[in-house]
Amino acid sequence: MLLARVDGSATSTIKHPSATGWRLAICQPQDDQGNDVGGPLIALDDMGAALHQQVIISSDGDSLRDWVEDSHSPLRFMVTHIVDEVLA
Amino acid sequence: MKIGHVVGRVTLNHHVDSYRGGRFFLVLPATREQLERDTLEPLPKGNTLVVWDDLGVDIGDRIAFSEGGEACMAFNLDTPVDAYNCMILDRLDYHPPALSSDTET
């Protein structure tokens, strides 16, 4: 799982059907010190994480496919936790 | 899914049968700087990758693509695909915090 910061949201009309109805949060993975690591990602979010909120995103496809109830879903990354505090 | 800009097209004349029905595009994974300025000019340096697409993108679109095991999930037949275009992005509300205050305390 990755620690990440929510930097915005995205909208998409033409997409794989399993992504319909999910909020697309733009997440920037971070290390424990809060420095950005790599490029921004798009994660499915149904927790309503706020802007610049720290969250944990999971890159496991299996649990995401159960979540979107589509065994052929090519999606990846979903927000699983909203972080209160990081004790690094 | 990673965010990328479609910058080119790849055409094949001999390919695996299960590739039929889609096309290959050259995609440049987007970094923070590229996303903050909307236009792509000047084209930034970066390593592009080939993404399989059946949604009908064109050069200049921004897409969200997934890599690795998830990429070949969308096919009924076993297909050797490493990067799959999941979405064509319409609008990005991207507001990263200013670089100077990057360390969130």
Side-chain angles (χ1 to χ4, degrees):
Chain A
M1 314 237 275
L2 304 168
L3 193 62
R5 182 190 64 236
V6 176
D7 276 355
S9 60
T11 59
S12 165
T13 317
I14 304 172
K15 52 182 178 255
H16 189 271
S18 66
T20 317
W22 293 96
R23 176 182 181 239
L24 306 176
I26 303 173
C27 298
Q28 171 61 55
Q30 296 180 315
D31 60 12
D32 52 355
Q33 305 306 325
N35 309 321
D36 292 0
V37 173
L41 307 172
I42 288 206
L44 299 187
D45 167 31
D46 74 342
M47 299 196 161
L51 192 61
H52 299 165
Q53 173 108 49
Q54 261 197 327
V55 292
I56 291 182
I57 54 180
S58 151
S59 64
D60 172 37
D62 281 346
S63 44
L64 186 131
R65 280 187 290 278
D66 298 341
W67 217 30
V68 297
E69 286 143 14
D70 179 349
S71 63
H72 280 292
S73 166
L75 303 177
R76 202 162 175 220
F77 294 119
M78 61 182 186
V79 176
T80 51
H81 305 77
I82 292 187
V83 173
D84 291 335
E85 194 183 348
V86 176
L87 307 171
Chain B
M1 288 72 65
K2 291 201 175 78
I3 304 170
H5 294 265
V6 179
V7 290
R9 176 102 187 262
V10 176
T11 54
L12 318 168
N13 44 23
H14 294 292
H15 56 72
V16 177
D17 292 343
S18 49
Y19 280 168
R20 191 168 304 115
R23 299 171 303 173
F24 282 97
F25 282 85
L26 267 180
V27 170
L28 191 65
T31 62
R32 174 182 177 144
E33 295 73 26
Q34 286 155 11
L35 281 186
E36 277 176 334
R37 51 178 164 77
D38 238 355
T39 65
L40 254 178
E41 280 64 33
L43 192 62
K45 291 192 305 303
N47 33 26
T48 58
L49 66 148
V50 179
V51 175
W52 192 85
D53 161 73
D54 65 350
L55 299 174
V57 286
D58 203 351
I59 293 173
D61 284 345
R62 280 183 303 202
I63 63 167
F65 61 94
S66 70
E67 287 176 294
E70 278 68 38
C72 52
M73 274 301 160
F75 297 93
N76 297 328
L77 311 168
D78 291 344
T79 314
V81 166
D82 244 358
Y84 181 93
N85 175 21
C86 300
M87 314 177 190
I88 303 174
L89 297 175
D90 301 338
R91 204 162 53 87
L92 285 173
D93 293 335
Y94 185 58
H95 313 292
L99 273 180
S100 60
S101 67
D102 235 359
T103 51
E104 301 281 321
T105 50

